[in-house]
Amino acid sequence: MFVYVIDIKRDGDLQESLTTQSLSSAKHWAEFKVAEGDLVTISEGVEAIDGSIDTTEHIQSYKIDRTHLL
């Protein structure tokens, strides 16, 4: 199954992570979880039958600043 993996890191430590089939829902979820200075990373991946996820491609990364929080 094709999935998106979104990670939110603060000071290099993973704070939140979500795996979903919808890119728009992943971005919407991240909007409510971030704080200024956080790094958001979105990747595409494939979920195996056993539930493991193999990320295949990096889609986007961005750092949250004040303009994102307005």
Side-chain angles (χ1 to χ4, degrees), residues 1-69:
M1 178 185 316
F2 184 77
V3 295
Y4 294 97
V5 179
I6 185 164
D7 293 327
I8 299 173
K9 294 183 180 180
R10 187 172 299 141
D11 298 324
D13 296 326
L14 183 64
Q15 296 295 308
E16 301 272 351
S17 185
L18 175 73
T19 302
T20 182
Q21 294 178 357
S22 167
L23 181 57
S24 62
S25 68
K27 288 183 174 186
H28 183 74
W29 173 83
E31 288 178 22
F32 295 99
K33 299 290 184 175
V34 295
E36 188 173 354
D38 287 355
L39 175 66
V40 178
T41 305
I42 302 172
S43 302
E44 290 179 336
V46 177
E47 185 175 6
I49 293 172
D50 65 358
S52 64
I53 296 172
D54 182 24
T55 55
T56 57
E57 187 174 340
H58 174 84
I59 299 292
Q60 181 179 29
S61 296
Y62 54 94
K63 191 151 184 134
I64 302 299
D65 61 16
R66 290 178 187 218
T67 60
H68 284 94
L69 300 175

